[in-house]
Amino acid sequence: VQLQACGGGLVQVGGSLRLSCAASGGIFRINDMGWYRQAPGKQRELVATIRSGGSTTYADSVKGRFTISRNNAMTTVYLQMNSLKHEDTAVYYCNVDGTYYSGLVFDSWGQGTLVTVSS
């Protein structure tokens, strides 16, 4: 599966960005879609996930500021980030798992998009 992530960039503290990640390539069904991030010198951490049924999970650090959503076809996942803080600076990765038409399962990562929050 191919994951194309975009939307990162440079934004000031308090600003907003919207990330998107489109999945393609022989996909029969997508289960969970999510966003993770990795700041310099730190481990990759979960930011938010959305399950096939629509339920969502957020890291405590982003609750109330970030919103994860997806399109009706469930092939694109979005992350609306508001009230950005310095500590949100990281490379953001999308993650998607599901099943190919062949029956094989996949758990794939996007290439990462850099979000930099400055004063």
Side-chain angles (χ1 to χ4, degrees):
V1 64
Q2 293 80 46
L3 298 179
Q4 183 65 44
C6 60
L10 177 64
V11 63
Q12 290 189 325
V13 171
S16 298
L17 280 176
R18 189 190 195 210
L19 307 182
S20 64
C21 178
S24 62
I27 299 170
F28 171 68
R29 182 180 63 200
I30 288 178
N31 297 324
D32 298 346
M33 309 178 86
W35 288 95
Y36 292 73
R37 67 186 180 187
Q38 187 166 18
K42 296 187 177 181
Q43 291 187 332
R44 190 173 298 189
E45 63 176 2
L46 170 70
V47 177
T49 62
I50 184 166
R51 308 203 66 175
S52 57
S55 61
T56 57
T57 302
Y58 294 93
D60 288 342
S61 59
V62 306
K63 283 180 181 177
R65 301 187 297 120
F66 290 11
T67 303
I68 190 170
S69 61
R70 64 187 180 209
N71 66 344
N72 288 336
M74 295 175 59
T75 56
T76 302
V77 61
Y78 305 96
L79 186 68
Q80 178 66 44
M81 305 185 293
N82 299 327
S83 303
L84 283 161
K85 305 176 180 180
H86 285 296
E87 51 264 43
D88 295 319
T89 295
V91 177
Y92 284 71
Y93 299 89
C94 59
N95 175 261
V96 177
D97 70 80
T99 309
Y100 292 114
Y101 281 106
S102 66
L104 293 175
V105 298
F106 64 86
D107 186 341
S108 297
W109 293 88
Q111 81 280 14
T113 184
L114 177 63
V115 172
T116 303
V117 184
S118 67
S119 300

